[in-house]
Amino acid sequence: MTATDDVMDALVRTTFEVAGVLTRIGGEHDLSLTQLRVLGILRDRRARITELAAYLGLDKSTMSGLVDRAQRRGLLTRDKNPDDGRVVDVYMTPAGLELAKRVEDEVRRALAPMTGRLNPEQLDQLVKLLELVLIRP
């Protein structure tokens, strides 16, 4: 096995572990992994449906359906963009923000056994390396 193979294996195994935690916790709150991703994206910003769809790799109609369901649950809402009244933004309601915070806390606790083995310097190094890996070409 080459170093590249080792990296790929470690990334895939890490992805499976994290996705498993997210799927389990999302399910406990009746949220799919995609819905969790939407809440994660919108926790500190407003976005257009087309922006969300592009980021998540979904078509606009699928994204609209996801937003509609979250809106019916009181987690998201839509309103005119403050800078361009022709544009409609999606953003989280107070209930959505509260749920996102609760889920974040649960995920943090669930991942703590993995990250807790690292000292502060290793954690900083891991963040820097992952940020390099995540840079889109």
Side-chain angles (χ1 to χ4, degrees):
M1 207 177 232
T2 67
T4 301
D5 292 335
D6 290 343
V7 168
M8 295 307 296
D9 184 60
L11 284 172
V12 169
R13 287 185 296 118
T14 302
T15 299
F16 288 164
E17 288 291 327
V18 173
V21 166
L22 293 172
T23 300
R24 178 182 57 77
I25 291 172
E28 292 169 0
H29 295 281
D30 197 28
L31 296 168
S32 69
L33 190 52
T34 303
Q35 290 168 321
L36 278 179
R37 291 176 70 196
V38 171
L39 293 181
I41 293 166
L42 294 177
R43 70 179 175 215
D44 61 355
R45 68 180 57 89
R46 297 168 70 113
R48 299 176 188 175
I49 294 278
T50 53
E51 293 169 334
L52 290 170
Y55 188 77
L56 295 169
L58 302 171
D59 61 53
K60 186 179 172 188
S61 64
T62 301
M63 192 71 244
S64 290
L66 284 168
V67 170
D68 288 344
R69 286 188 292 284
Q71 193 167 7
R72 284 194 297 275
R73 287 184 63 182
L75 303 175
L76 301 179
T77 193
R78 303 173 202 227
D79 198 8
K80 289 183 180 182
N81 180 292
D83 299 322
D84 184 348
R86 299 168 297 168
V87 174
V88 174
D89 288 338
V90 178
Y91 58 96
M92 282 209 273
T93 64
L97 289 167
E98 191 275 326
L99 178 59
K101 176 66 175 133
R102 196 168 5 140
V103 167
E104 179 183 345
D105 291 344
E106 291 174 27
V107 169
R108 186 180 311 276
R109 282 191 302 276
L111 295 177
M114 288 182 264
T115 58
R117 294 187 286 258
L118 303 175
N119 65 42
E121 182 180 306
Q122 291 170 320
L123 287 169
D124 287 343
Q125 184 179 17
L126 179 60
V127 169
K128 288 174 184 166
L129 291 171
L130 289 172
E131 286 174 350
L132 282 174
V133 168
L134 293 173
I135 293 173
R136 292 183 184 226

